[in-house]
Amino acid sequence: MNSGIPPGAFRQVRIKDHLVLRSRLIQAIRNFFADQNFLEVETPLRIPAPAPEIHIDTQGSDGWFLQSSPELCMKRLLAAGYSRIYQICRCFRQKERGDRHLPEFTMLEWYAAGWNYRDMMAHCEEIIGDAARKLGVLALNYQGRRIDLESPWDRISVSEAFDRFGSISMQEALARDRFDEVMGLEIEPCLGLKKPVFLYDYPARCGALARLKPENSDLAERFELYISGIEICNAFSELIDPIEQRRRFEKERALRAQMGKIDYPLSEKFLQALKFMPPAAGNALGLDRLAMLFADVPDIDSVTAFTPEEL
């Protein structure tokens, strides 16, 4: 008997409840930003020059690039006088595919003039907590683990996390070029298992677009949010010195060249605009991963209408 369901659509049928939840989550977030007088903006997906970061490879598009983040254009809007802005958009990165990664994914990114990374921590907690309440969720029950969402959420410095969960200190990991290894294999799986946790104050070399701490230039004013061992967002107090930003971009380009990676051109228009950008904080949050947590599913495919393999 013909059920009326087209061939190949069965996975989409099975995950319909997850997609409905995802839609409700995104709508709750939009309502929150509207209530706080944030302007929703749209910037181009296709750009001539992405930020040259070592570990992010963008997708080429007829001589330009599909954005890996809307960051550069959104900061140009800050420089033009837009003080509170957010965007929900598609982003693209090469060689990212797994249970928590897609080469094309959905990003929530927002900026506020006059804020620093600690202001952004509090706001991030408020956004997710508000969305949870609107969805009737008091605690996340993720893969058999209960995660308390009651404020305040935990906060731990990167150095302290290495001391608590790592086999070596942060300084030793940096000296032995094992920072990413220890972070990924030993520390991240231990973060946010009972309550969300903000991991903050990263080594300066791990914040290419972040402001350094005035009292300790070895550290960047950057944080990431972890829930059930999953990284949800990346945020920082923004670097607004165009000379320093150019120096860091050139350093990243040199490192990419050493690794045999594509050399991205510098975004001169962004660097020019940076002269006029006010002190601000920004945050990039992976909506697919957040939806995973709310839907209590182990992989990103379960909250994605179409995976690359289905196209």
Side-chain angles (χ1 to χ4, degrees), residues 14 34 36 102 110 128 149 163 188 202 217 235 241 310:
R14 291 195 302 272
Q36 294 212 340
L102 288 166
W110 74 101
I128 297 175
L149 295 179
D163 292 341
E188 289 184 348
Y202 277 73
S217 60
D241 180 343
E310 292 173 318

Side-chain angles (χ1 to χ4, degrees), residues 26-35 37-43 70 74 77 82-89 107-112 123 127 283 287:
I26 291 174
Q27 189 57 56
I29 289 170
R30 276 198 163 99
N31 290 341
F32 176 89
F33 278 112
D35 290 342
N37 295 317
F38 274 74
L39 177 68
E40 182 171 9
V41 299
E42 291 181 300
T43 58
M74 291 186 76
L77 288 175
Y82 293 74
S83 60
R84 289 189 170 198
I85 55 176
Y86 82 99
Q87 181 167 187
I88 295 173
C89 63
M107 184 89 83
L108 163 66
E109 192 148 334
W110 74 101
Y111 294 84
H123 197 244
I127 289 170
N283 197 342
L287 278 176

Side-chain angles (χ1 to χ4, degrees), residues 237-299:
S237 305
E238 302 295 342
L239 175 65
I240 58 173
D241 180 343
I243 297 174
E244 173 63 14
Q245 186 64 82
R246 182 183 294 275
R247 186 192 68 79
R248 293 193 198 175
F249 276 173
E250 293 288 10
K251 182 178 179 181
E252 295 285 308
R253 291 178 73 192
L255 290 171
R256 288 184 61 86
Q258 290 176 17
M259 299 170 68
K261 293 191 172 189
I262 295 174
D263 179 25
Y264 301 134
L266 288 183
S267 177
E268 293 293 344
K269 291 182 179 179
F270 164 70
L271 291 170
Q272 290 297 317
L274 207 55
K275 299 174 184 178
F276 306 99
M277 182 174 153
N283 197 342
L285 185 149
L287 278 176
D288 309 286
R289 291 186 180 182
L290 189 62
M292 278 176 58
L293 291 166
F294 275 89
D296 187 16
V297 294
D299 59 81

Side-chain angles (χ1 to χ4, degrees), residues 25-91:
L25 174 64
I26 291 174
Q27 189 57 56
I29 289 170
R30 276 198 163 99
N31 290 341
F32 176 89
F33 278 112
D35 290 342
Q36 294 212 340
N37 295 317
F38 274 74
L39 177 68
E40 182 171 9
V41 299
E42 291 181 300
T43 58
L45 296 180
R46 185 171 167 272
I47 56 177
E53 297 181 78
I54 302 172
H55 300 299
I56 296 179
D57 296 312
T58 60
Q59 179 65 53
S61 176
D62 194 23
W64 283 20
F65 304 90
L66 298 179
Q67 66 175 4
S68 60
S69 160
E71 181 170 4
L72 301 189
C73 285
M74 291 186 76
K75 288 181 180 178
R76 289 175 65 181
L77 288 175
L78 284 175
Y82 293 74
S83 60
R84 289 189 170 198
I85 55 176
Y86 82 99
Q87 181 167 187
I88 295 173
C89 63
R90 304 295 276 179
C91 295

Side-chain angles (χ1 to χ4, degrees), residues 53-200:
E53 297 181 78
I54 302 172
H55 300 299
I56 296 179
D57 296 312
T58 60
Q59 179 65 53
S61 176
D62 194 23
W64 283 20
F65 304 90
L66 298 179
Q67 66 175 4
S68 60
S69 160
E71 181 170 4
L72 301 189
C73 285
M74 291 186 76
K75 288 181 180 178
R76 289 175 65 181
L77 288 175
L78 284 175
Y82 293 74
S83 60
R84 289 189 170 198
I85 55 176
Y86 82 99
Q87 181 167 187
I88 295 173
C89 63
R90 304 295 276 179
C91 295
F92 307 82
R93 296 181 185 181
Q94 289 191 50
K95 304 171 186 176
E96 295 206 3
R97 185 67 177 107
D99 288 345
R100 301 177 184 176
H101 294 86
L102 288 166
E104 178 183 351
F105 59 97
T106 303
M107 184 89 83
L108 163 66
E109 192 148 334
W110 74 101
Y111 294 84
W115 289 12
N116 61 30
Y117 73 140
R118 293 190 179 275
D119 299 318
M120 185 58 75
M121 274 189 221
H123 197 244
C124 183
E125 180 175 335
E126 191 178 351
I127 289 170
I128 297 175
D130 180 78
R133 288 188 293 272
K134 288 174 180 173
L135 295 176
V137 175
L138 299 178
L140 291 174
N141 292 294
Y142 186 70
Q143 302 297 285
R145 180 181 290 122
R146 185 183 187 278
I147 300 164
D148 181 15
L149 295 179
E150 184 178 354
S151 294
W153 293 355
D154 294 334
R155 288 156 171 75
I156 180 173
S157 71
V158 174
S159 179
E160 183 183 352
F162 268 81
D163 292 341
R164 187 182 302 182
F165 305 116
S167 57
I168 56 178
S169 70
M170 183 181 79
Q171 290 74 18
E172 186 177 354
L174 290 168
R176 295 169 57 183
D177 197 25
R178 294 187 58 203
F179 181 88
D180 292 336
E181 173 196 343
V182 176
M183 178 67 77
L185 296 179
E186 300 179 18
I187 296 174
E188 289 184 348
C190 301
L191 299 176
L193 302 186
K194 294 182 179 180
K195 179 174 279 195
V197 61
F198 292 105
L199 186 67
Y200 68 94

